[in-house]
Amino acid sequence: MITFSFGRNWKRFIEYVANEQILNRAINSLRKYFGEDFDFSDKVFLDIGCGSGLFSVAALQLGCKRVISLDVDINSIEATKMAGEKFKPQNKENWQIFEGSILDSWLVDKLKKELDNQNIILYSWGVLHHTGNLKLAMQNAMNILSSGGGGDKYAYIALYNKTEASSWWLNKKMYYNQTNIVMKIFMVCFYTLFLTFEDIRKGRGWNMYDKDRGMYKITDVIDWLGGLPYEPIANDEVIEIWEKDGFLCLKNTPTRYYKPIYPKSKIYRLFVYLKVVGLGCNEFLFKKNDK
C-alpha cells in the first residue's frame, strides 16, 4: 500500500509558515464549530492524527484540561513538538504527545479505559480516510467514546466526500507518489496556480490560506496530491454509521456541492474534476447518547 508522509509537510509548515495569526484562526475555528458558549475547560482533547499539532495547541489555548496528541507518522509527532516549542501554549504540562494509530486495538482499549468518566472531545479532521481502513478507524473512534462511565463524549471529525471524481483523483494521487521530485514540484506549482486563478476568477482574491482553519494553500495542495491512502465516503453514510452506534449528530457541514451533477462534456468534466467540486471534507459533530 502506497502511503504519504504528511508529517514532512507539517514540519515545513510549522517551521516556515505557522504564526500567531494562523494559530488564532485555528482557535477561532474550534470556538465557532462548538459554539461561543461551549466550555472547553473540563474537556480532554484527544487529537487523532495530530499532523502539525496546531489544533492541539489551539485546544490548550482554549483551556482544555488535558490534550492527548497522537499520529502514526513520526514526522507529525516531531512537527507537533515543534509547534509546542514555537507557540508555548498554556498548561503545556498537561499535554501528552506520542506515536500511535487509531487502527491499533490495544491503544484503543487503553484510551477507552484511561478516559472513562472523562468529558472528551475526539478531534480528527481529515485523518480517518487516510488510515487505509476507514470503517475500522471510525469504529475504533466510536469505541473510545463508548465507555460505560459518565462524562460528555464529543467527536468532531471531517472526511473526504465521495463522488464519481474520487476514482479519477485516486489515480492522480498514486501517480504523484510514484513520480520523481521534478514532476512532484511541477504538479504542486501547477495545481496551486490553477486553484489561485480560480479564486481570482471567482472574486476571492489570492486566497492563499484557509481563513477558517488557518491552513496555507500550498500545504493543502501537497496534502491533497500526495494524500494516500485515500478512502472518501458519502456524507449521509457517515451519519448513518455513527447514529447506529448511539451517537447524535449535533452539527453537519457538508462540503459545497457534495452531491454534484457533472457535465457530459469530457473537457468540461475534467475542468470540474480539477476544481475538486464536491470532493472536500464533510464536517460532523457527534455526541454520544447514553440515554
Side-chain angles (χ1 to χ4, degrees), residues 44-182:
V44 176
F45 191 87
L46 178 58
D47 194 350
I48 304 292
C50 52
S52 68
L54 190 67
F55 281 81
S56 291
V57 173
L60 285 168
Q61 297 296 71
L62 283 167
C64 288
K65 68 176 184 180
R66 183 183 176 194
V67 172
I68 302 172
S69 308
L70 63 100
D71 202 295
V72 71
D73 187 344
I74 188 61
N75 287 298
S76 288
I77 297 302
E78 292 174 5
T80 299
K81 291 178 179 178
M82 288 168 59
E85 291 301 315
K86 185 170 189 174
F87 294 109
K88 297 178 172 53
Q90 61 182 358
N91 300 323
K92 191 178 176 182
E93 65 277 7
N94 298 324
W95 188 9
Q96 184 181 5
I97 308 168
F98 61 88
E99 186 177 358
S101 170
I102 188 61
L103 300 182
D104 184 344
S105 58
W106 177 85
L107 177 59
V108 170
D109 288 341
K110 178 178 180 293
L111 289 171
K112 182 177 180 178
K113 293 175 183 176
E114 183 179 333
L115 299 177
D116 193 26
N117 293 315
Q118 297 289 315
N119 297 315
I120 307 169
I121 297 173
L122 186 149
Y123 177 82
S124 191
W125 212 104
V127 173
L128 303 182
H129 49 231
H130 289 311
T131 60
N133 193 334
L134 173 60
K135 295 290 179 66
L136 178 60
M138 285 197 294
Q139 187 59 60
N140 284 348
M142 290 185 284
N143 287 345
I144 292 173
L145 301 177
S146 297
S147 63
D152 293 328
K153 308 289 195 296
Y154 298 89
Y156 177 16
I157 64 172
L159 299 168
Y160 280 140
N161 190 49
K162 185 176 183 179
T163 75
E164 70 170 54
S166 299
S167 58
W168 185 88
W169 270 108
L170 176 60
N171 290 330
K172 301 304 172 285
K173 290 168 180 285
M174 293 179 68
Y175 175 79
Y176 177 88
N177 278 278
Q178 293 172 326
T179 195
N180 59 66
I181 185 63
V182 175

Side-chain angles (χ1 to χ4, degrees), residues 228-241:
L228 287 178
Y230 170 65
E231 193 175 354
I233 185 171
N235 183 79
D236 296 346
E237 185 179 355
V238 176
I239 295 175
E240 181 181 353
I241 289 171

Side-chain angles (χ1 to χ4, degrees), residues 206-222:
W206 287 95
N207 195 28
M208 294 307 291
Y209 57 83
D210 187 328
K211 292 182 179 180
D212 290 329
R213 299 196 66 248
M215 293 299 173
Y216 221 70
K217 178 180 285 184
I218 197 167
T219 304
D220 285 340
V221 166
I222 295 171

Side-chain angles (χ1 to χ4, degrees), residues 26-46 55 58-59 62 64 119-125 145 152-157 250-253 283-288:
I27 291 170
N28 290 334
S29 75
L30 286 176
R31 187 181 285 124
K32 179 181 176 182
Y33 212 77
F34 280 89
E36 292 293 334
D37 296 329
F38 187 83
D39 184 10
F40 288 90
S41 65
D42 62 342
K43 306 295 189 299
V44 176
F45 191 87
L46 178 58
F55 281 81
L62 283 167
C64 288
N119 297 315
I120 307 169
I121 297 173
L122 186 149
Y123 177 82
S124 191
W125 212 104
L145 301 177
D152 293 328
K153 308 289 195 296
Y154 298 89
Y156 177 16
I157 64 172
L250 301 180
K251 192 171 185 179
N252 173 216
T253 309
E283 295 181 81
F284 310 87
L285 179 59
F286 295 105
K287 183 179 181 181
K288 182 62 177 177

